[in-house]
Each structure stands twice: as structure tokens, then as C-alpha cells.
Amino acid sequence: DAMVIQNPRYQVTQFGKPVTLSCSQTLNHNVMYWYQQKSSQAPKLLFHYYDKDFNNEADTPDNFQSRRPNTSFCFLDIRSPGLGDAAMYLCATSRGFGFGGLVTDTQYFGPGTRLTVL
Amino acid sequence: QKEVEQDPGPLSVPEGAIVSLNCTYSNSAFQYFMWYRQYSRKGPELLMYTYSSGNKEDGRFTAQVDKSSKYISLFIRDSQPSDSATYLCAMSEDDYKLSFGAGTTVTVRA
């Protein structure tokens, strides 16, 4: 089945120790997104790639970086995790921008990586 | 004021009951409306998708959008324990950016 895969599902890191989260997709979608979701809160968009074009949300901390080496893979790098960065990190994909009235243009989410910072 | 407001619940209902969920929003430019279901420790999965105002039905699920009131609803008929999850509303103007509600946690008691 075509899907969005995230690894690892659970990640524990130490305060200040860099960590990388991985996302891959078999949907061949052009757009990949990273969201941060804290407990009982709405997912918060950090950034997205449209193909190779990177777009950072204005309020995303500099501590968060991303790489997309090819269509299928996207990585989230947290350079110096703080306790406040403990959250679920969600990867999502979409075919493009704008819905055009088609449900297939909406975003499809992976299962998430739960990050714990000690 | 948040762009999308959603009552966090929690909501607990007996099996077979009708579950009613809703969101209000402030951005009149929103025209695409979605409901996502998120099971514990999983990513959101798209449940319902509606364009502009009106109703949409899919099995036991009905989504309603009232753009004049800036109000959307999701109804779950004949609720099952497997419907126990957090339900997130999301909406968009017609670009990449989804605005989510914080989610309502629903428990259906057997």
C-alpha cells in the first residue's frame, strides 16, 4: 500500500544532543511537510518542501532544519533539542498545493515520531 | 483569538449514541474543510472532506459546513468503541496551509 512512513516511531535524546527524524513516502507526492504536535494541541506546521523548494514557517525556531535529498525522503534535524521540543513530529505529504476540489489533493499523514528529551 | 476553535472535550458516550463534534472559525476565506481522526500515538487520518457549504455523508459519518455562521460539524451515528479517538477539524483557503483545531477526544463506552 502507498503510504507515509516515519522512523523511528519513538526517539529519546538528551538535552542538547542533535537528533534526526526520518520520513519516506511511496505516494510520489510533490510536497512533504513537517508538523510538531504537543499533547492536546493542534499540529503546528514547521516547514514544507515543494519538490526541492524549501519553505520555512515564520515562527519555526532556527533549531529546526530539514533536508529532502530526493522525492521519497525528507529529514527533520533538531540541532540542540530542548525540553520544550518534546512532542510528536508528524510528516505529511500532498500531491500539490490547492485542493482543486479533489480529496486527493489533501494532506496524508504518517504515524508520527514521538520525541522525548531527557 | 485562535483561528480555529474546537471544544477539547473529553466526550464520553455509550455505544450506539450519536456523537456530535463541531468547530468554529474566524477566517471567512476558508473554503475547504476536513475532519481527521487520530488514534492514540498515531498520525491523523483523513475522515471527511468538504468543499464550501453543505452536507456530506459517508456511511455513519456526516459532515456539515455552514460558512455563513463559520461553523462546521461532524456527526457519528451508531457510534462504536472503535470510534474512540481524537477528532481534529482542519480547514484551508486553497493552499498548502491547513489550520487545525486542537482536537476533541471521544470515548465510546461498550
Side-chain angles (χ1 to χ4, degrees):
Chain A
D1 288 341
M3 57 178 59
V4 182
I5 302 160
Q6 290 188 245
N7 286 304
R9 295 293 313 279
Y10 301 90
Q11 176 73 57
V12 180
T13 191
Q14 292 184 338
F15 183 93
K17 185 174 181 181
V19 66
T20 295
L21 309 182
S22 168
C23 177
S24 64
Q25 54 127 342
T26 61
L27 296 158
N28 203 31
H29 280 173
N30 294 313
V31 192
M32 296 186 78
Y33 310 78
W34 280 104
Y35 288 85
Q36 179 192 63
Q37 186 180 27
K38 295 187 177 180
S39 181
S40 301
Q41 294 185 22
K44 177 180 179 297
L45 183 64
L46 296 174
F47 25 60
H48 72 274
Y49 274 94
Y50 194 121
D51 290 331
K52 291 187 181 298
D53 292 334
F54 176 74
N55 292 272
N56 206 28
E57 292 300 299
D59 57 354
T60 299
D62 292 339
N63 199 25
F64 292 87
Q65 305 286 323
S66 185
R67 296 169 283 135
R68 188 178 186 186
N70 54 52
T71 300
S72 301
F73 284 87
C74 195
F75 300 97
L76 170 62
D77 301 308
I78 308 176
R79 291 192 298 187
S80 181
L83 297 178
D85 296 327
M88 172 80 89
Y89 290 88
L90 297 165
C91 175
T93 73
S94 68
R95 192 168 62 174
F97 286 163
F99 291 88
L102 299 175
V103 67
T104 51
D105 289 335
T106 54
Q107 294 184 22
Y108 293 87
F109 285 81
T113 294
R114 183 166 296 278
L115 178 68
T116 301
V117 182
L118 301 177
Chain B
Q1 182 188 6
K2 293 179 184 176
E3 198 171 37
V4 180
E5 298 277 0
Q6 183 176 7
D7 187 339
L11 195 60
S12 180
V13 300
E15 184 174 358
I18 294 174
V19 176
S20 174
L21 306 168
N22 58 76
C23 290
T24 58
Y25 62 94
S26 56
N27 185 353
S28 58
F30 286 147
Q31 52 180 332
Y32 297 93
F33 303 91
M34 288 136 279
W35 286 94
Y36 283 84
R37 178 174 61 194
Q38 187 172 23
Y39 290 114
S40 181
R41 303 185 189 281
K42 297 286 180 65
E45 60 175 320
L46 183 66
L47 195 60
M48 297 289 283
Y49 165 80
T50 311
Y51 170 67
S52 194
S53 284
N55 295 353
K56 185 171 184 177
E57 192 171 315
D58 184 1
R60 296 184 295 112
F61 298 89
T62 299
Q64 292 183 348
V65 175
D66 182 349
K67 290 188 69 179
S68 62
S69 301
K70 298 191 182 69
Y71 186 90
I72 70 170
S73 301
L74 176 71
F75 298 96
I76 308 173
R77 291 184 301 281
D78 188 25
S79 57
Q80 305 295 312
S82 59
D83 295 325
S84 298
T86 296
Y87 291 82
L88 296 152
C89 63
M91 42 201 83
S92 175
E93 294 184 24
D94 188 19
D95 56 17
Y96 69 90
K97 201 170 179 80
L98 291 182
S99 295
F100 284 91
T104 301
T105 299
V106 174
T107 301
V108 181
R109 307 185 306 271

